Amino acid sequence: MNRKSKKVKPYIPYDYEAAYKKSLDDLHEWFADQMLASSQGYRSHKVIYALKEITAGSQFEVEIYPQFNRLSDIPEEGRRIVKDNDRAQRNLNDKNARKYLERLINENFGSGDLWITLTYDEEHLPADGDFDAALKDITNFIKRINYRRRKKGLPNAKYIYVTAYNPHEDIRWHHHIVMDGALDMDTVEECWGQSSRNEIRRVQEDEDGLSGLANYIIKQKDRLKSEKRWRSSRGLKKPDIKVVHNKQPQKGRGNYKPIASYIDGMIKDRDTIRTTLAKWYPDMEFSAAEVYYNDFNCMFYIHAKMRKKRSRDGTEKGKEI
């Protein structure tokens, strides 16, 4: 009779970004080498490295991080269960919600769509802290938008909005919206009616897609617990996320090797990150990479940003004009 194979414990989806937030750039090279040496024995039998590939529109990110099946092996700062694309993460105090929102904007919007900032005059300004009133205003605005669109034979709007407010920073109630560009700007503004000092413009993607716009909307210091939240229309496309544990040295060439086998080279020579990613993803153009560590287990977290290469005519390679 065949013996049953021993069941392997699943890896814990912890907050690896919180667990590894000390920048390797701040560490002397000698100490970095010592940390790498200390981690080798630990890595050989307790941990593997995973590589997460995130595609959002023209933007591409790579996250390399260690995985564990015991909570005690995880740095204390990261012992919080985190799931990708958690639709319940609506509070932008959570960095994972901010990261997901940036990717969601890049995945669903682009050049020609609308960037809208809606404000209030004194007559219509919600009371301090009255978040329900502000949400009612933006909800009614979306209803009027969709009514106008139906009259023109258009489907309901595709949008993401962020409601912002902070009395400690003299920031009045306002709403930032990214919306598809099917409706003309004058009609969009007519649907608000709470102020005449609004901003509506067509967006234009740059080399970072719409990340600059997204970060402007969501990045703000001293954010109150309930001061800044976001909502979106139904049916938005989620960023594509894939997790692998092995890679060929070069796309389409050589045997697959564990991600952990590439870590030493990337840590000893940071330029290796760029060259290795170029071999793994020849259709992508490197933007930046950062390396973080934790003294608890001498492990590393690597975050790199890339983007789809463009042809001479400015279009993404592989796409029709």
Side-chain angles (χ1 to χ4, degrees), residues 50 84 95 200 220:
D84 288 317
K95 68 181 182 306
I200 303 177
Q220 182 176 310

Side-chain angles (χ1 to χ4, degrees), residues 14 16 20 22 24 27 31-37 39-40 43 49-50 64-68 263-264 267-268 291-294 297-303:
Y14 70 106
Y16 50 83
Y20 304 92
K22 296 180 181 179
L24 197 63
L27 195 65
F31 289 106
D33 290 341
Q34 294 302 305
M35 183 177 294
L36 192 61
S39 71
Q40 287 175 344
R43 281 188 281 140
Y49 271 87
I64 300 175
Y65 57 96
Q67 286 186 312
F68 308 90
I263 293 296
D264 287 20
I267 302 305
K268 290 178 179 178
V291 182
Y292 302 93
Y293 71 95
N294 192 299
N297 55 16
C298 299
M299 296 288 158
F300 302 93
Y301 160 56
I302 300 172
H303 178 229

Side-chain angles (χ1 to χ4, degrees), residues 47-201:
V47 66
I48 66 169
Y49 271 87
L51 183 148
K52 182 181 290 185
E53 303 169 335
I54 308 108
T55 304
S58 63
Q59 304 304 296
F60 183 72
E61 294 176 72
V62 169
E63 295 182 332
I64 300 175
Y65 57 96
Q67 286 186 312
F68 308 90
N69 49 37
R70 295 192 312 179
L71 193 64
S72 59
D73 290 331
I74 298 173
E76 188 173 351
E77 302 92 326
R79 293 178 188 177
R80 180 175 75 98
I81 303 300
V82 173
K83 296 181 179 180
D84 288 317
N85 300 353
D86 186 349
R87 290 181 58 83
Q89 291 178 343
R90 294 294 192 243
N91 189 336
L92 289 174
N93 286 303
D94 188 306
K95 68 181 182 306
N96 290 288
R98 297 196 299 271
K99 185 166 59 175
Y100 177 52
L101 182 55
E102 177 188 343
R103 293 167 178 168
L104 198 64
I105 289 174
N106 273 313
E107 177 65 24
N108 289 278
F109 302 94
S111 296
D113 288 329
L114 299 178
W115 180 12
I116 308 164
T117 299
L118 300 176
T119 62
Y120 291 90
D121 57 28
E122 292 295 336
E123 182 181 352
H124 298 93
L125 188 66
D128 286 348
D130 193 350
F131 209 93
D132 289 338
L135 289 181
K136 183 178 179 180
D137 289 335
I138 190 65
T139 299
N140 288 335
F141 168 75
I142 296 297
K143 288 180 179 178
R144 289 191 287 270
I145 287 288
N146 285 334
Y147 173 75
R148 295 291 189 97
R149 291 172 67 106
R150 286 194 296 272
K151 289 185 68 174
K152 293 178 177 289
L154 298 170
N156 284 346
K158 182 174 67 172
Y159 63 85
I160 292 173
Y161 70 77
V162 173
T163 296
Y165 164 73
N166 190 339
H168 299 324
E169 298 291 333
D170 293 326
I171 296 174
R172 294 162 61 99
W173 288 106
H174 62 280
H175 308 276
H176 293 296
I177 310 170
V178 185
M179 182 183 292
D180 74 81
L183 205 59
D184 67 273
M185 292 185 287
D186 288 339
T187 301
V188 169
E189 186 164 18
E190 288 173 5
C191 291
W192 180 233
Q194 309 293 319
S195 170
S196 60
R197 300 180 63 182
N198 306 300
E199 293 184 12
I200 303 177
R201 58 180 172 176

